[in-house]
């Protein structure tokens, strides 16, 4: 290759790198500064990204319909503004990318407001509490995190549970086989492997675990234990520029807490097994007024 051709190739590669970086910067800048509420209000629709296997937060039922706790909650909030939520399946490990590039407008699907995510995503006020639980088979005699020494652990790709595993290695990561979990695209597949003994334990959101186990033919076959991971709270994820939509969703959630609609939706999906920061604050407010 002569020097002239080599120089041309270098210039072309440099140009492509600049174009790519400029495009990425433009997407990031737009996500952090552009407020899309007027367009969403005009179009009367908002696109919500979700993992359609995340029972009971948002999932596809046997009839092919997307339903769940977060689906009901999103519909109730946007009904106030005469806006229709469009629920779109996404690869959960790519949720923040989908949000920032504009494929979706919101992440509303049991989305924990973690410090890592807050670097790139804005969050509404929390509406449901959550914690990470270790689910095992009782027949395995694994009763706590310490019993997972050299055992195979499962977790979901892109989940807050996986972040907890990596950020708090002494709690679980340093104990398990190969010091890293088997990763799944969905908790449904992970539960299948757990039930058939292909993994020894599954780290999973408590709301999913409680609902899934309760709806099995033999719930008693499972053992649930908690460790020392930090407690979590589910919130709605938005682009940082969408400040108006954040305020609108917060106002809608607060109104649902006051009217009792949030409590009704919680009870529909979780019975008595749920904790909502919004309902706790509303109860405190009513007590003060009384």
């Amino acid at each position: 290759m002569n020097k002239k051709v080599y120089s041309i190739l270098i210039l072309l590669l440099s140009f492509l790198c600049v174009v790519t970086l400029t495009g990425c910067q433009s997407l990031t800048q737009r996500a952090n500064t552009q407020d899309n509420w007027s367009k969403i209000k005009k179009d009367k629709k908002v696109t919500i990204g979700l993992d359609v296997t995340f029972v009971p937060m948002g999932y596809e039922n046997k009839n092919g319909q997307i339903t769940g706790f977060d689906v009901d909650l999103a519909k109730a909030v946007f009904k106030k503004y005469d806006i229709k939520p469009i629920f779109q399946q996404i690869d959960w490990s790519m949720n923040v990318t989908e949000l920032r590039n504009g494929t979706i407008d919101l992440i509303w699907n049991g989305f924990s407001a973690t410090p890592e995510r807050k670097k790139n995503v804005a969050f509404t006020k929390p509406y449901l509490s959550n914690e990470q639980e270790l689910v095992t088979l009782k027949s395995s005699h694994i009763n706590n995190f310490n019993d997972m020494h050299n055992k195979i652990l499962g977790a979901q790709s892109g989940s807050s549970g996986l972040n907890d595993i990596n950020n708090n290695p002494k709690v679980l990561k340093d104990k398990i086989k190969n010091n890293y979990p088997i990763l799944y695209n969905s908790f449904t597949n992970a539960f299948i492997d757990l039930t058939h003994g292909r993994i020894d334990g599954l780290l999973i959101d408590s709301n999913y675990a409680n609902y899934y186990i309760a709806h099995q033919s033999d719930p008693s076959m499972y053992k649930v234990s908690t460790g020392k991971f930090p407690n979590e709270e589910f919130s709605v994820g938005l682009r940082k520029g969408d400040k108006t939509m954040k305020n609108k969703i917060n106002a809608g959630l607060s109104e649902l807490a006051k009217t009792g609609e949030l409590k009704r939706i919680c009870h529909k999906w979780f019975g008595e097994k749920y904790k909502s920061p919004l309902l706790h604050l509303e109860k405190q407010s009513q007590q003060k007024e009384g």
Side-chain angles (χ1 to χ4, degrees):
M1 184 182 295
N2 62 47
K3 291 184 178 180
K4 186 176 181 180
V5 173
Y6 180 79
S7 298
I8 293 172
L9 286 174
I10 292 296
L11 286 172
L12 285 173
L13 287 172
S14 300
F15 175 75
L16 288 172
C17 288
V18 169
V19 170
T20 301
L21 287 171
T22 301
C24 291
Q25 289 172 351
S26 298
L27 277 175
T28 300
Q29 185 178 16
R30 184 162 64 246
N32 289 340
T33 59
Q34 183 172 307
D35 192 316
N36 298 286
W37 178 253
S38 58
K39 182 180 186 304
I40 287 170
K41 184 68 175 174
K42 180 182 178 181
D43 294 342
K44 294 185 179 296
K45 63 180 182 180
V46 61
T47 304
I48 297 175
L50 74 167
D51 167 11
V52 295
T53 67
F54 193 18
V55 180
M57 307 309 296
Y59 65 100
E60 189 175 73
N61 64 19
K62 294 179 180 179
N63 298 321
Q65 299 172 323
I66 294 179
T67 185
F69 173 83
D70 279 331
V71 173
D72 284 354
L73 192 58
K75 287 179 178 179
V77 167
F78 282 109
K79 183 179 181 181
K80 172 182 173 65
Y81 304 110
D82 192 28
I83 291 172
K84 180 181 179 181
I86 307 297
F87 299 97
Q88 181 170 307
Q89 179 179 359
I90 60 172
D91 179 343
W92 192 246
S93 65
M94 298 292 289
N95 50 30
V96 175
T97 301
E98 297 275 19
L99 177 69
R100 290 167 70 85
N101 68 20
T103 307
I104 58 175
D105 299 307
L106 299 170
I107 305 172
W108 197 333
N109 189 211
F111 196 46
S112 299
T114 64
E116 292 84 2
R117 288 169 173 169
K118 287 180 180 179
K119 295 175 183 177
N120 299 307
V121 178
F123 285 92
T124 64
K125 61 179 65 176
Y127 58 84
L128 197 67
S129 298
N130 181 61
E131 59 185 343
Q132 293 299 320
E133 293 181 335
L134 176 67
V135 181
T136 58
L137 297 179
K138 282 187 177 179
S139 59
S140 69
H141 303 294
I142 297 173
N143 298 311
N144 52 53
F145 281 28
N146 290 328
D147 290 340
M148 284 296 294
H149 179 70
N150 206 32
K151 301 293 185 180
I152 302 174
L153 177 71
Q156 186 184 33
S157 300
S159 66
S160 57
L162 180 59
N163 288 336
D164 283 339
I165 292 169
N166 291 325
N167 294 337
N168 307 274
K170 291 183 180 180
V171 177
L172 196 53
K173 186 175 183 179
D174 291 350
K175 299 179 176 66
I176 61 177
K177 189 172 183 178
N178 299 324
N179 300 125
Y180 204 76
I182 302 296
L183 298 182
Y184 294 87
N185 290 328
S186 75
F187 281 129
T188 302
N189 292 333
F191 255 110
I192 291 172
D193 275 6
L194 176 66
T195 303
H196 289 84
R198 289 188 281 268
I199 58 176
D200 301 301
L202 174 61
L203 193 71
I204 186 172
D205 294 307
S206 57
N207 292 298
Y208 185 109
N210 293 336
Y211 186 92
Y212 186 95
I213 292 172
H215 287 77
Q216 296 306 296
S217 57
D218 183 13
S220 65
M221 70 183 293
Y222 298 99
K223 168 74 177 178
V224 177
S225 56
T226 55
K228 295 182 179 179
F229 287 132
N231 290 333
E232 302 173 359
E233 291 179 323
F234 288 162
S235 301
V236 184
L238 312 90
R239 291 179 287 266
K240 290 190 175 183
D242 281 323
K243 296 179 180 179
T244 303
M245 182 151 59
K246 177 180 175 179
N247 292 334
K248 296 291 184 180
I249 294 174
N250 280 339
L253 289 170
S254 295
E255 183 173 325
L256 293 179
K258 290 179 181 178
T259 62
E261 181 67 6
L262 175 58
K263 185 175 182 179
R264 185 194 69 78
I265 295 173
C266 286
H267 193 270
K268 171 186 174 181
W269 290 100
F270 304 113
E272 300 298 330
K273 282 191 171 185
Y274 66 88
K275 293 180 182 178
S276 170
L278 281 176
L279 292 177
H280 180 68
L281 291 173
E282 180 60 25
K283 185 177 181 179
Q284 286 183 328
S285 176
Q286 291 175 351
Q287 288 174 344
K288 288 180 180 178
E289 292 176 359

